[in-house]
Amino acid sequence: MAKNILFNYFEMNCVGHQSPGLWKYPSDRSSEYKDIEYWTDLAKILERGFFTAIFIADVIGYYDVYENSLSKSLEDGVQIPVNDPIQLAGPIAQVTKHLGIGITASTSFEHPYPFARRIATADHLTKGRVGWNIVTSYLESGARNIGLEGLKSHDERYEVAKEYLEVIYKLLEGSWEDDAVLRDKQKGIFADPKKVHAINHEGKYFKVPGVGLTEPSPQRTPVLFQAGSSVAGIDFASK
Ligand SMILES: Cc1cc2nc3c(=O)[nH]c(=O)nc-3n(C[C@H](O)[C@H](O)[C@H](O)COP(=O)(O)O)c2cc1C
C-alpha cells in the first residue's frame, strides 16, 4: 500500500529558531522575519512544495540563565527579538490555498477570554486553516515580566491549561449557536439574542460569566496540538 509522507515546516517569528547563529550565513534571510514578504514568499514556496503546514513556535520570555545574563542571547539573536506568531496567519492565508498554519500560544500568560477572540479571528481570516500549538511554557523570565513571582509548578501549569481549554471550548463551541447570526436587513436584526449564550464559567483559575465576542468561525475550535511528553503533558494532550 502506498504511504503518504506529510511535510510540516517548523519556524519561529525571529532569527535562528533552533539554529542560533545561522543568520550570519551569507544567503540567510531569517533577519527579514519582520517583513511581511519574508513570510508570504516562504508560504508560497511551501505551498508549491505540497507542505501540509507551517508551524510557528513561540516563547514569552527569554533565555537569561546562561552566565546569569541575557547578554549572550541578545548577542547571538537566540529567540530574541521575537515577534508575535498569530499575526502571520492572515498574510500567509492570503497567498496560499491549502497550507495549514499552526501558531503557538501559551496558557500561562494570557487570559483565555482575549485569546479566544484572537484565535477565532485567525480562523475567520484563514477560512479555517489555523491550528494552535498549546504550550504551558518554561521561561521564568516571561512570568516575571507579567508581574508574577515565577511560573507555577510544571504539573499545575497543565492544570491551568485544562481549565483554559474548558473556557476556550465554552466560548468557541457553546456561546454562539450556528444560526445565531441572522443578518436580517429587513427586520434590522443582526444576531438573535436568544441564540447567544453566557458561558457562566467559574473555575479555580478563571471566571468568565458572559458571552464570547466572536461569531462562529469555520472550525470554531482550531486544530489543537501539543508536544509535552511528561505524564501530565500526555494526560492533558489526550483529553
Ligand atoms: C516539536 C516541539 C515543539 C515545541 N514548541 C514549543 C514552543 O513553540 N513553545 C514552547 O514554549 N514550548 C514548545 N515546546 C515544548 C513543549 O510544549 C513542552 O513544554 C515541553 O515538551 C515540556 O513538556 P513536558 O514536560 O510535558 O514534556 C515544543 C516541544 C516540541 C517537542
Side-chain angles (χ1 to χ4, degrees):
M1 200 176 78
K3 284 185 179 171
N4 285 330
I5 182 165
L6 302 178
F7 291 106
N8 173 60
Y9 190 90
F10 197 21
E11 250 287 19
M12 190 162 173
N13 201 352
C14 63
V15 297
H17 169 210
Q18 298 285 26
S19 314
L22 214 60
W23 56 268
K24 286 172 271 190
Y25 189 69
S27 59
D28 180 84
R29 285 186 57 191
S30 66
S31 23
E32 296 167 33
Y33 74 95
K34 318 171 294 310
D35 302 333
I36 203 163
E37 294 79 11
Y38 172 82
W39 295 98
T40 51
D41 285 357
L42 175 61
K44 284 189 269 190
I45 293 167
L46 297 177
E47 177 125 311
R48 211 164 61 235
F50 295 105
F51 272 65
T52 298
I54 179 169
F55 162 24
I56 304 160
D58 190 42
V59 290
I60 297 283
Y62 38 74
Y63 301 91
D64 58 356
V65 175
Y66 181 67
E67 293 179 340
N68 248 333
S69 160
L70 170 63
S71 298
K72 209 65 194 138
S73 296
L74 286 169
E75 278 172 20
D76 289 347
V78 181
Q79 298 188 1
I80 183 165
V82 59
N83 279 357
D84 183 358
I86 200 164
Q87 297 191 38
L88 301 174
I92 290 174
Q94 201 170 14
V95 297
T96 54
K97 288 207 159 51
H98 54 72
L99 190 69
I101 305 152
I103 61 94
T104 300
S106 175
T107 53
S108 295
F109 298 101
E110 185 183 0
H111 194 280
Y113 194 68
F115 179 70
R117 182 174 72 159
R118 290 200 301 131
I119 195 77
T121 303
D123 199 47
H124 279 298
L125 294 179
T126 62
K127 295 193 165 51
R129 278 195 276 146
V130 79
W132 172 22
N133 174 34
I134 307 165
V135 296
T136 53
S137 297
Y138 51 82
L139 289 172
E140 295 290 340
S141 57
R144 285 196 305 272
N145 283 314
I146 59 161
L148 303 175
E149 293 287 303
L151 287 171
K152 291 187 166 44
S153 73
H154 173 276
D155 284 10
E156 190 175 7
R157 295 202 296 279
Y158 278 113
E159 288 306 307
V160 174
K162 279 183 200 160
E163 194 186 321
Y164 200 103
L165 265 289
E166 250 181 69
V167 175
I168 295 288
Y169 281 130
K170 286 179 183 173
L171 289 168
L172 299 185
E173 299 289 339
S175 186
W176 290 62
E177 292 185 31
D178 283 341
D179 53 356
V181 174
L182 301 173
R183 267 181 228 99
D184 188 330
K185 291 189 181 178
Q186 238 98 60
K187 291 192 186 134
I189 299 176
F190 190 81
D192 181 350
K194 290 192 293 302
K195 297 193 171 179
V196 182
H197 309 288
I199 68 166
N200 295 317
H201 179 88
E202 194 154 354
K204 182 168 173 196
Y205 301 105
F206 305 110
K207 190 172 169 187
V208 184
V211 307
L213 290 169
T214 52
E215 64 177 278
S217 66
Q219 301 181 99
R220 284 187 177 260
T221 301
V223 171
L224 302 173
F225 55 108
Q226 86 96 25
S229 53
S230 59
V231 171
I234 291 171
D235 180 61
F236 168 69
S238 58
K239 280 205 173 73

